[in-house]
């Protein structure tokens, strides 16, 4: 056929056109799966903006969804003409003249690019095709994705083809409406409705020309031209858009001259109520899956995934109930202690005078006000002290009130918070995740985001180091003053820790008794013997990931760690010395039930089974040794049935800033932290602020609920018997003496005095009887 065309140039042109047609048809048909999915006419007629991904507990209860609510279409009549004019004049000036693809602009852009002036040529319809149908995402890719130049050509042809289909089905107004409902504006804002509310607290139809130009200007690069993070660049880009509007007669010259002089005029006061279904757990799952989604090119908010977590809905409920019950009690105690006094204090108990000013300066609106009022502190202060209507969190539900910004800072600064996590060490599965008291008002997750001083909950890592390097639980040290000289960062330092009441008993104490009673002096002596560098190594070995200062006080918990890390590290002891990577998600399927990923247990033997078992024996000392700091758990009668055993460790940081409890049963490890988000706000005495009075009650209440439910699957019982031969002495007798107050679970303050007289430890395989306690 081609030979009949005698003019070779015409013949080559016809051949080229023929192959283009064949190539386009092959792409449309996804020939041999080479080119991936291309939207067909049915897709175009019934577009799906996104499909929500769903999150389930291990027992099949829906606990959350991921979706962009702002994907819901708004009508064309709800769009300001300023938005449309700004978009067309900046992104696609020939929008009303082409049929989806503008080859004139395409050719001119190629010429400009060749001259060094790179600019895009995608029409609004092409951008819509890319946003709405994800023509460049994973499901749209075929085998040619591995061939760079060909891959780009296929992407472009798909966009052209889809754009033509869109123009065939919809009119220009429909296309503009769909475009504005799908385009991203940064800061997790998708669609013009959310963006206009977020940045200007206005509906899209009410935007002025400068405001519309600011939003349209962001489309070139949402991070670079973000008006919150980069106001200077955003202002420059906005004025470029206004210039385009004036150039194409959408603005008069005098309007343009006035508009470019205006400030950005952001209004960030809008609060999005559409996130009420959000939760700490939902956010934790998203963070946990972030890398997997990136590696596999999935979008949680659009791809309709079904995510099955390890969370037990019953245990999660019991944890949340325990937190609510005990935190209300702790908050009442906190208010009672401080009364009308301001609780923000330095280490000497003196009120921090500039606390409120610094809190104001940390607010996102502070710099905007500073710029607006040219640093006039009187006007800025007037803004912060002006009363306004707001809804606030209370321990009895939300409440509408009238409050100034300063009053709000004072109010929220005094509210205590918590973080709690429970894990099943043998499977690595996380069963409970409580990131705080209320996600809507306190977004910060206190399980894995917050890191605080661990206090005496870190001491077990010193005893672990000792047991794994020649010591036994029965080895004795004397409770006496200790002074350690060391060098840190080139400076000579001396560390001489005190016991709680600055009193030393001069008694000989076994390591088990010393750890159970949380004696600072013996922990310090042990630290000097085994080496603080080695303690850091062991802490990292069993699961602590945070950087730790290798100094003698490391064993008393002077470093910041997270609840997540502590639960992981303590789980190593119950898992026969094998460190696990905690699992939050077990399986992901698509919306049709096809399995996309399974997440299996990953574990590593990091300490010997013998050492791990001996550590469990040591943890029981908190309940069984005289003055053991866990003995407040005896008050929880629901814990002590059927020869049940519980081990654990309290912890309190300096000045009662952080209260901790790490609890271990035969099946579970639970970590609880309690404190204020600002470290300068805290309790003021051992009777109110120690871990045994703040975090331990949450653990006790939680485990009572777990044991009371026969369907929970977690039963009473003793700790496991030795997993192998124990070569070290351990069944050390405890002295029958009344407990005193020399124990401490903090750096400088006393721990719980003994509430009951403990019995001697029972033989292995049994536990202390609660009768008579």
């Amino acid at each position: 056929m081609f030979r009949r065309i005698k003019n070779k140039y015409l013949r080559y042109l016809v051949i080229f056109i023929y192959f283009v047609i064949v190539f386009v048809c092959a792409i449309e048909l996804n020939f041999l799966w080479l080119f991936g999915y291309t939207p067909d006419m049915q897709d175009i007629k019934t577009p799906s903006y996104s499909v929500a991904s769903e999150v389930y507990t291990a027992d099949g209860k829906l606990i959350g969804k991921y979706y962009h609510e702002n994907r819901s279409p708004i009508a064309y009549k709800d769009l300001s003409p300023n938005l449309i004019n700004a978009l067309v004049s900046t992104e696609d000036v020939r929008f009303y003249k082409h049929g989806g693809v503008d080859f004139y602009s395409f050719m001119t852009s190629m010429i400009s690019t060749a001259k060094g002036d790179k600019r895009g040529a995608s029409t609004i319809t092409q951008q819509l095709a890319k946003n709405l149908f994800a023509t460049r995402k994973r499901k749209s890719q075929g085998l040619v994705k591995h061939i760079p130049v060909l891959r780009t050509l296929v992407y472009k042809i798909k966009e052209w083809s889809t754009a033509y289909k869109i123009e065939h089905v919809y009119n220009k107004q429909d296309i503009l409406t769909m475009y504005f409902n799908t385009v991203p504006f940064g800061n997790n804002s998708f669609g013009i409705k959310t963006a206009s509310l977020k940045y200007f607290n206005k509906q899209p139809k009410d935007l002025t020309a400068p405001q519309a130009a600011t939003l349209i200007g962001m489309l070139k690069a949402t991070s670079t031209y973000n008006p919150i993070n980069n106001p200077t660049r955003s202002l420059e880009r906005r004025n470029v858009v206004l210039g385009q509007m004036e150039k194409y007669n959408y603005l008069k010259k005098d309007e343009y001259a006035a508009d470019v002089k205006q400030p950005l005029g952001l209004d960030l006061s809008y609060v999005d109520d559409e996130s009420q279904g959000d939760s700490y757990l939902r956010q934790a799952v998203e963070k946990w899956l972030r890398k997997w989604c990136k590696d596999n090119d999935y979008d949680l908010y659009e791809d309709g995934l079904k995510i099955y977590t390890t969370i037990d809905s019953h245990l999660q409920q019991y944890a949340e109930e325990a937190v609510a019950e005990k935190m209300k009690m702790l908050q009442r105690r906190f208010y009672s202690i401080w009364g009308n006094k301001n609780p923000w204090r330095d280490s000497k108990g003196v009120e921090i005078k500039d606390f409120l000013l610094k809190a104001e300066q940390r607010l996102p609106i502070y710099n905007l006000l500073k710029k607006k009022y040219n640093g006039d502190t009187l006007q800025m202060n007037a803004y912060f002290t002006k009363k306004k209507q707001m809804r606030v969190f209370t321990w009895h539900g939300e409440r509408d009130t009238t409050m100034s910004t300063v009053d709000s800072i004072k109010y929220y600064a005094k509210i205590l918070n918590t973080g709690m996590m429970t894990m099943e060490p043998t499977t690595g599965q996380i069963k409970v995740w409580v990131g705080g008291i209320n996600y809507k008002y306190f977004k910060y997750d206190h399980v894995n985001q917050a890191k605080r001083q661990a206090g005496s909950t870190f001491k077990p890592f010193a005893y672990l180091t000792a047991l794994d390097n020649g010591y036994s639980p029965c080895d004795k040290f004397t409770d006496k003053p200790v002074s350690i000289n060391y060098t840190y960062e080139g400076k000579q330092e001396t560390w001489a820790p005190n016991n709680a009441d600055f009193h030393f008993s001069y008694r000989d104490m076994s390591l088990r008794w010393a750890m159970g009673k949380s004696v600072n002096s013996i922990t310090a002596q042990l630290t000097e013997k085994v080496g603080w560098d080695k303690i850091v190594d062991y802490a990292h070995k069993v699961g602590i990931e945070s950087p730790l200062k290798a100094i003698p006080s490391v064993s008393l918990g002077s470093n910041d760690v997270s609840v997540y890390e502590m639960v992981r590290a303590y789980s190593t002891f119950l898992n026969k010395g094998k460190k696990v990577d905690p699992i939050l998600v077990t399986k992901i399927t698509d919306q049709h039930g096809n399995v996309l990923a399974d997440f299996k247990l990953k574990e590593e033997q990091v300490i010997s089974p013998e050492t791990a078992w001996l550590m469990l024996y040591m943890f029981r000392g908190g309940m069984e040794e005289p003055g053991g700091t866990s003995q407040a758990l005896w008050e929880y009668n629901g814990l002590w049935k059927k020869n049940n055993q519980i081990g654990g460790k309290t912890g309190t940081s300096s000045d009662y800033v952080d209260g901790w409890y790490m609890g271990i049963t035969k099946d579970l490890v639970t970590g609880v932290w309690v404190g204020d988000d600002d470290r300068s706000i805290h309790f003021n005495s051992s009777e109110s602020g120690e871990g045994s009075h703040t975090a331990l009650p949450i653990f006790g209440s939680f485990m009572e609920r777990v044991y009371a439910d026969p369907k929970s699957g977690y039963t009473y019982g003793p700790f496991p018997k030795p997993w192998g031969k124990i070569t070290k002495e351990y069944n050390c007798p405890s002295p029958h003496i009344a407990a005193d107050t020399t124990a401490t679970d903090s750096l400088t303050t006393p721990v719980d005095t003994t509430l009951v007289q403990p019995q001697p430890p029972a033989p292995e395989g049994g536990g202390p009887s609660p009768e008579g306690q």
Side-chain angles (χ1 to χ4, degrees), residues 52-103:
S53 294
E54 298 175 336
V55 187
Y56 295 89
T57 61
D59 46 340
K61 292 190 176 181
L62 180 66
I63 52 175
K65 294 183 178 182
Y66 299 96
Y67 56 93
H68 297 304
E69 290 185 323
N70 50 22
R71 297 282 190 179
S72 299
I74 61 171
Y76 181 81
K77 63 181 177 61
D78 295 324
L79 292 170
S80 165
N82 291 316
L83 280 169
I84 297 168
N85 296 339
L87 178 67
V88 171
S89 62
T90 306
E91 295 292 320
D92 188 2
V93 71
R94 289 166 48 83
F95 173 69
Y96 295 105
K97 297 178 181 179
H98 62 68
V101 179
D102 188 353
F103 285 105

Side-chain angles (χ1 to χ4, degrees), residues 222-251:
T222 55
S223 297
T224 303
Y225 300 111
N226 186 295
I228 297 176
N229 301 328
N230 295 302
T232 302
R233 287 186 176 181
S234 177
L235 187 66
E236 293 171 354
R237 177 63 183 164
R238 181 206 69 178
N239 290 344
V240 170
V241 176
L242 289 172
Q244 290 293 104
M245 295 174 72
E246 189 267 340
K247 177 180 178 180
Y248 292 105
N249 300 317
Y250 291 116
L251 282 179

Side-chain angles (χ1 to χ4, degrees), residues 9 39 85 262 282 404 426 525 597 616 618:
Y9 297 108
N85 296 339
Q262 291 189 26
R282 180 181 169 280
S404 70
T426 55
Q525 293 174 58
L616 294 182
M618 296 281 285

